[in-house]
Amino acid sequence: MLLTLTTTHRPATDLGHLLVKHPDRVQTFDLPAGAAHVFYPEADEARCTAALLVEVDPLKLGGGRKNRAPEGFALGQYVNDRPYAASSLLSSALSKVFRSALRGESRDRPELAATAIPLTVRVPVLRCRGGAELAVRIFAPLGWTVTATPIPLDETYPEWGDSRYVDLTLTGTLRLADALNHLYVLLPVLDDAKHYWVAPDEVDKLLRAGAGWLAGHPERALITRRYLAHRRALAGVAMARLTELRLADEPPADDSIDPAPGEAPVAGDVRRASLAVRRREAVLAALRDSGASRVLDLGCGGGALLTALVADRRFTEVVGVDVSDRSLGLAARRLRLDRLPERQRDRIRLWQSALTYRDDRLRGYDAAVLMEVVEHLDPPRLPALEDAVFGHARPGTVVVTTPNVEYNVRYEGLGPGRFRHADHRFEWTRAEFAAWVDQVAAAHGYTTVVGGVGDDDPEVGAPTQMAVLTRADRNENTSDDRKEATNR
Ligand code: SAH
């Protein structure tokens, strides 16, 4: 099974940095079902090709409890096309061998990892249920130019017709991570015969790898069904979550850490998937308790929290603020701003603003949220944010959430010293967060309550840290309202 990946981006040998595989070496990796080799058939300034060759050991593949032969065909586990056709094994190999590239991370070339570059992917022999036409339907909507040539059953006897295999070439200008995630999900989809048992955590894997492209894919139903090996209950769950995502195509939540395939699913996976939801609920509860009606969501991203705020009528004015135009566009779509009745529409504002500069529009609000935002700033810029938010905008209440870096050891697959998200500039321990909160509160006249969100681990605490800062000079009426709200 062979897959090659070519770029003509100059210098093309940067591909080696992105894949973290040196072009001058052949490297071999053990797989649960064989071995994967990475090498470069060509590597110069103008053009560089990395090849991933997967060798399958039929005994290893067939021997496992999970791969019993069909009844009455005991040899089926040894005599099959698995070793020869690109399939879901190639996909597992991809994610094992190119893990950081799949996540869009690159220590040496971070900007290039975030940039669309000219790419050609070739899989000379791909088992494709549904034929060449399906390969086009699946890859073309993602920006690929697809050439899928059916491979004849036997070249000497063309009248026998085509085999189930195609020779697939994809060309396009895409981020390498997107290309790899497409392949990771869609090769097994085309093959439609997963080699391992589909566990419930596959839904999470699918949604993580599909972040940003699957929810809006015209063939998402087929992709989901096949990826989850036709297990209807799981496909139903995945489709429901995709529908929720579709308006926002949001980037993966910050806590989306992908365990390496082949690793046992982590016990916490399911809980982890819902951490984003629990965080949102905790923030909403703090806002309700504060008695706020006019609320700022600072660094609102794709607008997941905004949607929940708008759904609650006690919030009479909801403002999403972000520096990113794209995020604001996603938030507007997610909120269906253009379709809302005027009365609803009037409660919502979306403003582009950088939180490191004073902005008069943000003054006079009851509460502000900084959910998973501070860790996206370079530490030297934090004082500017503190001044703009706590010094200038001065909302009555500020709810801040940020990862608890101590908890990262509980995420299998997150190497030591790694952050949960490629864009994080830092992640704080509980002591560091508490110290920051204390310092901000003292400097700007706020009182604080600090806690966690998610399951509290006895050693390392909860995965998310949260602080509620209340302006000390808030008038009595407001704090009475707050007590009432808390007792509800
Ligand atoms: N609050 C959202 C998004 C978190 S991601 C959620 O929890 O899902 C961080 C967001 O902060 C991104 O949308 C990013 O564009 C925004 N951001 C980062 N630095 C910013 C700055 N200096 N000013 C305004 N927004 C910023």
Side-chain angles (χ1 to χ4, degrees):
M1 298 193 300
L2 177 68
L3 177 148
T4 63
L5 193 61
T6 303
T7 187
T8 50
H9 169 86
R10 276 171 179 266
T13 42
D14 272 357
L15 185 62
H17 287 290
L18 293 180
L19 295 172
V20 206
K21 300 289 171 288
H22 199 286
D24 292 345
R25 283 201 290 273
V26 177
Q27 293 186 56
T28 297
F29 302 84
D30 259 341
L31 296 176
H37 310 281
V38 179
F39 57 95
Y40 290 74
E42 55 182 347
D44 57 40
E45 277 274 308
R47 198 179 154 86
C48 182
T49 296
L52 174 68
L53 176 69
V54 177
E55 264 185 321
V56 178
D57 178 343
L59 289 177
K60 260 184 168 178
L61 182 65
R65 164 178 61 81
K66 297 171 180 169
N67 287 285
R68 293 229 174 86
E71 286 285 324
F73 185 44
L75 276 178
Q77 56 186 307
Y78 305 112
V79 186
N80 58 42
D81 64 2
R82 302 282 82 187
Y84 312 112
S87 73
S88 53
L89 290 172
L90 185 50
S91 155
S92 311
L94 262 179
S95 70
K96 169 145 193 184
V97 173
F98 300 134
R99 264 181 84 197
S100 56
L102 255 149
R103 294 192 200 165
E105 292 169 4
S106 170
R107 196 166 303 164
D108 299 334
R109 297 286 185 277
E111 276 168 21
L112 190 59
T115 307
I117 55 174
L119 290 170
T120 300
V121 175
R122 170 130 190 258
V123 187
V125 185
L126 172 67
R127 201 167 90 138
C128 189
R129 215 181 123 236
E133 180 259 341
L134 185 66
V136 175
R137 254 166 53 209
I138 293 276
F139 280 106
L142 299 168
W144 292 104
T145 302
V146 185
T147 313
T149 314
I151 300 174
L153 212 45
D154 190 317
E155 279 175 15
T156 329
Y157 303 101
E159 66 275 16
W160 288 4
D162 292 329
S163 67
R164 289 175 297 175
Y165 300 90
V166 300
D167 177 346
L168 179 75
T169 304
L170 308 171
T171 51
T173 301
L174 286 91
R175 283 189 336 141
L176 179 65
D178 292 334
L180 292 174
N181 278 296
H182 296 163
L183 296 167
Y184 173 73
V185 172
L186 298 176
L187 293 180
V189 162
L190 289 175
D191 181 334
D192 200 23
K194 284 204 108 174
H195 64 284
Y196 53 89
W197 175 245
V198 174
D201 79 313
E202 289 290 310
V203 174
D204 292 332
K205 276 195 198 162
L206 172 64
L207 294 182
R208 261 179 243 138
W213 59 271
L214 182 55
H217 196 296
E219 295 294 346
R220 61 188 170 275
L222 177 141
I223 294 169
T224 303
R225 210 167 47 236
R226 282 194 175 190
Y227 186 90
L228 297 169
H230 301 276
R231 290 198 48 203
R232 256 193 220 171
L234 291 183
V237 170
M239 282 305 286
R241 284 170 60 183
L242 282 177
T243 306
E244 196 190 304
L245 283 174
R246 190 156 65 239
L247 287 163
D249 264 5
E250 59 181 2
D254 281 3
D255 40 317
S256 61
I257 295 141
D258 198 11
E263 276 177 12
V266 194
D269 258 8
V270 175
R271 275 179 288 146
R272 201 189 310 157
S274 65
L275 182 57
V277 174
R278 292 173 75 171
R279 193 161 48 219
R280 201 151 69 219
E281 289 305 320
V283 169
L284 283 168
L287 289 174
R288 288 174 188 139
D289 285 354
S290 80
S293 5
R294 300 176 60 238
V295 181
L296 301 166
D297 183 5
L298 304 175
C300 62
L305 179 66
L306 292 175
T307 317
L309 288 168
V310 169
D312 187 335
R313 282 159 189 269
R314 85 183 70 202
F315 301 118
T316 55
E317 187 181 336
V318 174
V319 184
V321 176
D322 207 286
V323 74
S324 152
D325 211 19
R326 181 170 170 272
S327 293
L328 292 170
L330 292 174
R333 271 167 62 204
R334 172 177 266 241
L335 290 161
R336 301 166 185 256
L337 269 194
D338 52 342
R339 272 177 275 166
L340 282 184
E342 210 175 294
R343 218 156 42 100
Q344 293 296 337
R345 170 76 191 75
D346 285 348
R347 289 168 62 211
I348 308 170
R349 327 210 178 295
L350 294 177
W351 291 335
Q352 190 170 28
S353 185
L355 297 170
T356 43
Y357 294 90
R358 293 181 164 206
D359 185 336
D360 287 341
R361 291 176 298 177
L362 307 186
R363 285 169 75 93
Y365 281 83
D366 299 326
V369 177
L370 283 164
M371 184 165 86
E372 307 298 283
V373 171
V374 291
E375 66 276 10
H376 289 262
L377 269 78
D378 286 321
R381 299 298 291 150
L382 271 181
L385 173 134
E386 293 159 28
D387 172 70
V389 174
F390 296 91
H392 191 69
R394 289 195 71 66
T397 301
V398 184
V399 184
V400 185
T401 77
T402 193
N404 165 17
V405 72
E406 294 167 77
Y407 192 90
N408 287 2
V409 295
R410 295 289 180 265
Y411 289 129
E412 273 176 52
L414 189 66
R418 304 298 290 275
F419 294 145
R420 297 184 197 181
H421 192 276
D423 193 43
H424 286 181
R425 306 307 158 90
F426 60 85
E427 287 177 355
W428 276 327
T429 62
R430 284 170 291 173
E432 285 166 335
F433 181 57
W436 178 77
V437 170
D438 281 349
Q439 171 253 310
V440 170
H444 298 285
Y446 282 76
T447 60
T448 67
V449 179
V450 178
V453 182
D455 293 327
D456 205 359
D457 182 286
E459 280 167 41
V460 296
T464 294
Q465 318 199 61
M466 180 166 117
V468 181
L469 295 94
T470 308
R471 213 175 63 214
D473 63 358
R474 272 186 15 161
N475 69 43
E476 285 309 307
N477 285 345
T478 326
S479 62
D480 285 347
D481 290 349
R482 185 167 83 252
K483 275 186 209 118
E484 235 169 67
T486 320
N487 294 336
R488 235 193 318 267

